[in-house]
Amino acid sequence: MPATHPTTTNTTHLHQARRKGTSDFGEPECRWSNENLAIYLAPDSKRRGLEETYLRKEKFPTFTPTTVAGYPAVRTHLNDRLKSCHIAVGVADDQELLISFSHHSDGRNPEYEDPCGFAEKVGKMVLDNLPPAR
């Protein structure tokens, strides 16, 4: 899939009114939403990267290791009833990217029926658009 602007995917146009704020970790966060979905992205470079997620494994309702764009990741907070999923992606030993996806309506896009799969797709688009480490 070709790289796209963060406010669009090949299937959905999100409102340009996205909110930028500060995450619980004191770092920039981005939120996009429309009547169909909500996406949240936040880096965490203040703690121990993906190790932090593994150390708190018992606190999550679901915990499934996976990969996103070749990076180790964990699916947490999968809620099939609400069509939502959270993913922590280990992008460095001491950094992770947190991704959350929620689907608000039925029948708009079959991709949304797998909330973790769609969150991983968003994560891959983000990671594919980052410049190489220096």
Side-chain angles (χ1 to χ4, degrees):
M1 177 163 132
T4 58
H5 187 275
T7 59
T8 62
T9 68
N10 65 336
T11 57
T12 304
H13 296 288
L14 301 176
H15 293 285
Q16 293 296 322
R18 64 180 188 247
R19 293 184 295 145
K20 289 185 179 182
T22 303
S23 72
D24 292 341
F25 315 111
E27 299 185 74
E29 67 179 14
C30 291
R31 297 174 187 265
W32 293 272
S33 65
N34 65 23
E35 64 279 356
N36 298 314
L37 57 87
I39 298 170
Y40 170 80
L41 301 167
D44 176 6
S45 64
K46 307 288 186 188
R47 299 182 299 165
R48 295 172 279 209
L50 200 56
E51 178 185 2
E52 181 74 29
T53 301
Y54 273 87
L55 290 171
R56 299 179 322 133
K57 180 178 182 176
E58 286 75 33
K59 296 182 189 264
F60 297 112
T62 60
F63 192 92
T64 307
T66 188
T67 59
V68 174
Y71 292 92
V74 176
R75 292 176 168 194
T76 65
H77 296 92
L78 170 62
N79 187 320
D80 282 328
R81 186 177 59 78
L82 297 177
K83 297 293 183 207
S84 65
C85 185
H86 299 241
I87 297 180
V89 183
V91 294
D93 288 343
D94 60 347
Q95 298 174 28
E96 63 184 351
L97 173 64
L98 304 173
I99 305 163
S100 177
F101 171 75
S102 301
H103 176 220
H104 305 309
S105 63
D106 292 327
R108 297 291 274 177
N109 185 327
E111 282 185 297
Y112 303 162
E113 295 306 311
D114 176 8
C116 288
F118 195 78
E120 289 175 1
K121 183 177 181 176
V122 169
K124 181 178 180 341
M125 287 189 291
V126 169
L127 294 168
D128 286 349
N129 281 293
L130 293 178
R134 294 181 191 189

